[in-house]
Amino acid sequence: MARITRRGFAAGAAGAVSALLSAGEATADAPLGREAAGAGSVGPGEVPAPAGRDLGVIRRPQRQFRGMWLATVVNRDWPSKQGLPVNRQQAELIGLLDTAVRRRLNAVIFQVRPNADALWPSPYEPWSQYLTGVQGKDPGWDPLGFAVREAHRRGLELHAWFNPYRVANHTDPARLVATHPARVHRNWVVPYGGKLYYNPGLPEVRRFVQDAMLDALRRYPIDAVHWDDYFYPYPVAGQAFGDDAAWQRYGGGFPSRAAWRRDNTDRLVRETAERIKEIRPHTRFGVSPFGVWRNRATDPAGSDTRAGAQTYDDLYADTRGWVRKGWIDYIVPQLYWHIGQTAADYAVLVPWWAKAVEGTNVDLYIGEALYKAGDPAQPAPWRDPAELSRHLDLDADWPQVRGNVYFSAKEVADDRFGAMARVVADHYPTPVRPPR
């Protein structure tokens, strides 16, 4: 069976990351940009480099974020299929948490609202179909509550991962459970690109999705509220997002529809940040965007990349602005490219993001494409088990990089190519706590 990638399973476009780039993948690695440390004694927080790696002394941070995404949409990582008995679902979930501990990770980012639904008893939205196979059917247990307890028992942080606006991977509201808010409020939804979305331009929608997500925060001591890269949907050629009525009603005073859309997304982020601190002041707020804010050709402040998608322009998400304004606590750009990639080089983007967070209180973690490792359809660098380990070598040059997150849990567990084991051997000699 073909492997489903992060954007493939959620946006329905296989290989979409490469499709978003305007140039082909490069096959040769660029220089790592890391100089070997001088010979000498090993100091505090340092360990000798693993045998066979000419890196001298490797500096180990006292705190470091080591996370994995655990996706539930279309049963990507968990549960393995719909309709399993409760004990089987719980055993699979415990197995993935134990895998995180075994890999010396310290955080799990658990997808609990994949499609305007819930993996907890929400008064706002129906139970997710990915549990029982039937949207709205009570699975007989509380997966989010269980996950929080079991993660904390193992010393893991549990970050609850929500998708704000995606409603369904189809365009037919009649296929939703009768009580679904998207059926009750038909004017809230927009069909686009074969999917249904809540309309971000409606103030009542922004308030509702906040209420729905933050219900989980009120109920459980989750360590963070986490969003991925979906705000306005990724552009689909030849299609327009149908928000004309909302633009006519609420767009006055904005120089363009794009500016209005960005303001809508800004409002969602800023308001959610404020409400999180009101409900649980110590809970963090993190976002994992597509890895390119803007290309330098579009904006001198952008990265030296030639990506076909830019979050600022195409998703109406000013991710760099949120960092500079301090609205979020951490950011995890999805840098799902190899070192030396022509259009979006990992070795170019890490320094750009490091400088983006410099002087702020926002932590930077790097999102890693573990799912690409060993895939014969990927460029040659991904067929080297050491590619991801080299990413962390490069990251060590930038003190602003405080950790990494791996997509996703299935690959962390199976690791058929050995890339994750290599990362652990080279970079995770002992457990550490995440930054706070």
Side-chain angles (χ1 to χ4, degrees):
M1 180 180 293
R3 193 182 324 212
I4 302 175
T5 68
R6 178 171 191 151
R7 194 154 294 107
F9 74 74
V17 171
S18 59
L20 292 171
L21 303 176
S22 59
E25 296 263 357
T27 58
D29 283 346
L32 293 179
R34 175 174 182 164
E35 296 180 2
S41 61
V42 177
E46 300 177 342
V47 297
R53 303 179 74 225
D54 187 17
L55 295 175
V57 169
I58 297 176
R59 288 171 175 80
R60 300 294 188 194
Q62 299 301 310
R63 284 181 177 262
Q64 183 181 44
F65 196 86
R66 303 173 181 174
M68 71 178 187
W69 282 288
L70 200 168
T72 58
V73 67
V74 300
N75 300 94
R76 203 278 178 190
D77 293 324
W78 177 89
S80 61
K81 61 181 180 179
Q82 300 171 17
L84 294 176
V86 171
N87 61 349
R88 175 77 178 277
Q89 291 185 14
Q90 292 178 342
E92 288 186 355
L93 186 52
I94 286 173
L96 291 171
L97 298 178
D98 287 342
T99 290
V101 173
R102 190 166 58 253
R103 299 293 191 192
R104 300 189 188 121
L105 306 183
N106 53 30
V108 173
I109 301 173
F110 182 37
Q111 191 176 35
V112 298
R113 185 179 182 265
N115 280 341
D117 50 12
L119 271 74
W120 75 95
S122 168
Y124 294 94
E125 292 175 313
W127 282 104
S128 176
Q129 71 183 68
Y130 302 124
L131 296 170
T132 64
V134 179
Q135 188 177 68
K137 183 178 179 180
D138 189 335
W141 67 300
D142 178 357
L144 177 53
F146 181 87
V148 171
R149 289 192 303 273
E150 294 298 322
H152 288 172
R153 282 183 56 199
R154 289 161 173 78
L156 297 167
E157 287 193 352
L158 195 291
H159 295 213
W161 168 15
F162 307 86
N163 187 291
Y165 291 127
R166 187 176 61 226
V167 174
N169 292 328
H170 57 76
T171 59
D172 183 5
R175 291 173 57 186
L176 303 173
V177 67
T179 56
H180 197 292
R183 287 189 67 175
V184 176
H185 305 280
R186 292 292 185 97
N187 63 312
W188 285 8
V189 297
V190 177
Y192 182 76
K195 297 177 175 56
L196 281 178
Y197 297 91
Y198 282 130
N199 187 345
L202 298 177
E204 59 270 33
V205 163
R206 290 199 303 273
R207 183 68 186 191
F208 172 79
V209 298
Q210 289 176 50
D211 289 344
M213 292 183 288
L214 296 178
D215 177 69
L217 180 62
R218 294 181 187 280
R219 292 170 180 262
Y220 310 102
I222 59 179
D223 297 288
V225 170
H226 181 96
W227 291 349
D228 55 17
D229 51 324
Y230 294 96
F231 297 97
Y232 279 85
Y234 282 87
V236 177
Q239 296 189 31
F241 189 76
D243 58 358
D244 289 354
W247 160 240
Q248 292 297 322
R249 183 173 183 182
Y250 298 109
F254 290 92
S256 65
R257 190 179 301 206
W260 169 70
R261 286 175 173 175
R262 271 190 294 275
D263 182 71
N264 293 333
T265 312
D266 278 353
R267 287 172 184 267
L268 177 74
V269 175
R270 184 179 67 249
E271 292 166 2
T272 301
E274 292 169 352
R275 295 182 69 184
I276 288 170
K277 299 311 176 189
E278 291 171 359
I279 297 167
R280 288 188 188 269
H282 299 295
T283 295
R284 308 185 82 205
F285 182 25
V287 177
S288 173
F290 179 72
V292 176
W293 172 70
R294 301 188 95 184
N295 295 319
R296 185 174 294 174
T298 305
D299 186 328
S303 52
D304 187 13
T305 50
R306 292 171 296 283
Q310 304 168 89
T311 58
Y312 184 93
D313 302 275
D314 297 305
L315 306 183
Y316 308 99
D318 185 9
T319 52
R320 177 175 176 264
W322 306 340
V323 169
R324 295 167 70 87
K325 294 170 185 175
W327 291 348
I328 56 179
D329 297 300
Y330 69 81
I331 193 161
V332 193
Q334 296 173 30
L335 303 192
Y336 287 178
W337 303 287
H338 63 264
I339 296 170
Q341 206 280 343
T342 302
D345 188 343
Y346 186 94
V348 167
L349 283 161
V350 167
W352 188 89
W353 279 105
K355 292 172 184 175
V357 304
E358 191 170 26
T360 74
N361 291 321
V362 178
D363 285 340
L364 172 63
Y365 316 136
I366 305 298
E368 302 287 349
L370 178 61
Y371 70 91
K372 288 187 175 182
D375 185 344
Q378 296 295 332
W382 290 108
R383 299 194 291 276
D384 181 350
E387 172 67 16
L388 279 185
S389 185
R390 284 194 289 267
H391 289 194
L392 273 70
D393 290 338
L394 188 151
D395 295 348
D397 273 344
W398 300 93
Q400 299 92 338
V401 178
R402 304 198 67 192
N404 303 78
V405 185
Y406 302 93
F407 191 83
S408 65
K410 183 184 296 183
E411 284 76 19
V412 172
D414 295 344
D415 195 28
R416 294 173 182 170
F417 194 57
M420 191 70 212
R422 181 70 177 264
V423 166
V424 174
D426 291 350
H427 298 279
Y428 299 161
T430 59
V432 296
R433 292 184 177 182
R436 292 301 291 180

